Every structure is written in structure tokens, then in C-alpha cells.
Amino acid sequence: MTFRRPNVISKLRPGDLVVRRHRLLKTQGTVLRFDGEDENGGSRAWIKWSHPNTLPNPSLEAVDDLELVTGAESGR
């Protein structure tokens, strides 16, 4: 039996501010565009990181590993 992950792209849009969930340092970035699915069926997005030493920048990240920045700074 295969379980399909929910489509979380609807929660994120290009231009949204996000942080990485799985990192010790919560690097903040901006969603540039979406780019298909990973090998497990999860959505992927290109993220431009605001931290100058984050490489590669931009990078392709699993959307499940991102968290939307809420509040005034997200522009919503």
C-alpha cells in the first residue's frame, strides 16, 4: 500500500518567506518557483536563501521541509 503525501503547494506561493524545518539554524528564504516532485512524491520548490553563506543558493528543497513565515514579514 502506498501513501501519498498531501499537496502542500497550495499553502505556499512564489514570493512567500519560508524557513527550513530540519536544520539547527532556521535559514530563511523566499520561494522562487515549484519544480515537480521528489522520488517519494513530495513537492519541491526552488528557494533563494537570505543568508549569504548558504550554498547552493538558490537550492531545490522538499516543500515538506519548509515552514511558512507568518506575520507582517511574509507579506500576507
Side-chain angles (χ1 to χ4, degrees):
M1 179 180 230
T2 340
F3 292 99
R4 180 109 172 122
R5 293 181 186 184
N7 183 358
V8 292
I9 288 180
S10 61
K11 295 180 186 177
L12 295 176
R13 297 180 300 198
D16 281 347
L17 296 178
V18 293
V19 293
R20 288 181 173 148
R21 287 182 201 221
H22 65 289
R23 302 289 170 108
L24 181 60
L25 299 173
K26 300 285 187 175
T27 307
Q28 185 172 306
T30 304
V31 176
L32 296 178
R33 66 182 177 90
F34 296 96
D35 191 6
E37 296 180 343
D38 63 16
E39 61 277 358
N40 298 320
S43 301
R44 299 182 306 177
W46 283 97
I47 308 297
K48 173 73 174 157
W49 301 108
S50 57
H51 192 272
N53 296 332
T54 301
L55 295 173
N57 195 7
S59 65
L60 188 58
E61 301 288 329
V63 173
D64 289 346
D65 293 339
L66 302 172
E67 201 171 290
L68 181 65
V69 175
T70 57
E73 61 227 339
S74 71
R76 285 197 173 180

